[in-house]
Amino acid sequence: MQLTLREMRRFRVPLLIWVTLSVVAAVAGPFGTLNALGLGGRFLYWGAIVGCSVGLGIGASLLANRFLRLGAIATWSGFVLLFSITVHAINSAIFHEMSGWENWLYLLGIVGLVTTAVQLLIWAIKPTPEVEVEIQDTFMLRLPLETRAALVRIEAQDHYLNVVTARGNALLLMRLSDAMAEVSGRGIQVHRSHWIVPDAVTRHRREKARDVLEMVDGSDIPVSRSYRKAAQDAGLF
C-alpha cells in the first residue's frame, strides 16, 4: 500500500532521529561499546537500541494521548518496563557479563528516571486545556472540563454529537452543522456523520472499495464518495 504524503511526513522525523542518534552513538561508542565492539557492531547495536526506543516511544505517546493522567502514567510505565526488558535481552545476548536480575533492575531504574524527567518537562511546558480554550473558541466550553483538549473528531449520533478529544469523549445535544461552524478551519467533513482533524489521522486504507481513515483514538472513520476530494486535498490519501 502506498504511503500518503501526510504519512510520509510523520515517518520522516522519527526516521531522522533514529538515523542521527544511531550514527552518533556508533561513532562515539558510549557505555564501553567503543572498545567492546567494532564500528559495524556498534552500528547494529545502537541502531537496534535507538530503533526500539523511538518505535516504542511513538506507540506509547499515541496511546497515552487517549487517556487522562492516570492512564498516561500507566502507559509510560509499560513503556519503561517493555523497553528495559528489550534492552536487557539485547545486552545479555551480546555482553554476557550484563545478564542477570541486578543489571536489569539497574537498567529499569535508569530508563524510569529518564522517562519520568522527559514527561515532567513536557507536562511543565505544555499549555493547560483551559488556556487553549480561551485562545481557540467557545466550542470547548460546551465540553466537560476533563475532556477539554485538542479535538480529534466529531461524530453525529442521532440528535447527539460524540466529541472525541485527546482527553476522552463527551456527548453534546447539538447538530453537526452547527458544531462544524464553530470549529471552522480546524478540520474537514469526510462523511455525512463524521468531521475529523487531519492531524489526528494515523493511516489511510482501502477496504472493500471504500476509503477508511484510522484515527489516533483507535477508531475507523469511513470517507464517503461525496467527501473524497476534500480528504484528498487535505493530503490524507
Side-chain angles (χ1 to χ4, degrees):
M1 182 180 295
Q2 292 183 339
L3 294 174
T4 65
L5 179 60
R6 182 175 296 273
E7 288 171 329
M8 287 189 291
R9 286 174 178 170
R10 282 198 179 97
F11 284 124
R12 184 172 59 189
V13 174
L15 181 62
L16 181 61
I17 293 174
W18 173 55
V19 171
T20 302
L21 292 181
S22 297
V23 170
V24 171
V27 173
F31 303 108
T33 57
L34 183 63
N35 297 322
L37 298 172
L39 182 59
R42 295 199 301 273
F43 269 110
L44 291 176
Y45 175 80
W46 286 111
I49 297 295
V50 176
C52 289
S53 175
V54 173
L56 292 174
I58 292 173
S61 179
L62 292 175
L63 186 60
N65 286 337
R66 303 180 186 178
F67 302 110
L68 298 178
R69 185 164 298 172
L70 288 179
I73 292 174
T75 299
W76 284 109
S77 298
F79 162 82
V80 170
L81 181 63
L82 186 56
F83 181 61
S84 62
I85 290 174
T86 302
V87 174
H88 182 66
I90 295 174
N91 286 341
S92 298
I94 300 176
F95 311 108
H96 299 296
E97 67 276 9
M98 298 185 69
S99 60
W101 285 99
E102 298 84 359
N103 287 303
W104 175 68
L105 289 175
Y106 174 77
L107 181 62
L108 180 67
I110 295 297
V111 174
L113 286 174
V114 172
T115 302
T116 300
V118 171
Q119 293 305 311
L120 286 175
L121 178 62
I122 293 174
W123 177 78
I125 65 176
K126 185 178 181 180
T128 61
E130 290 78 11
V131 173
E132 292 178 353
V133 169
E134 293 176 1
I135 294 174
Q136 292 175 359
D137 54 61
T138 59
F139 180 76
M140 283 291 174
L141 296 175
R142 300 179 181 273
L143 302 177
L145 184 62
E146 65 271 13
T147 60
R148 294 177 186 174
L151 284 170
V152 174
R153 63 186 183 90
I154 302 175
E155 177 182 354
Q157 298 178 349
D158 294 328
H159 299 294
Y160 290 85
L161 297 180
N162 179 31
V163 181
V164 180
T165 73
R167 286 183 171 268
N169 67 294
L171 290 178
L172 294 181
L173 182 59
M174 190 178 188
R175 294 187 305 178
L176 181 59
S177 58
D178 293 336
M180 289 192 301
E182 290 192 4
V183 297
S184 176
R186 279 187 285 159
I188 60 171
Q189 186 173 9
V190 295
H191 186 276
R192 181 179 60 185
S193 303
H194 296 281
W195 176 94
I196 66 165
V197 174
D199 286 341
V201 177
T202 59
R203 184 170 174 261
H204 160 260
R205 72 174 191 268
R206 291 282 292 177
E207 186 175 279
K208 297 180 181 178
R210 295 189 310 162
D211 294 293
V212 178
L213 300 176
E214 298 178 10
M215 309 298 294
V216 294
D217 68 318
S219 60
D220 290 341
I221 304 300
V223 179
S224 61
R225 187 174 302 175
S226 55
Y227 295 101
R228 194 172 193 275
K229 187 178 186 304
Q232 286 179 315
D233 291 342
L236 298 180
F237 53 85

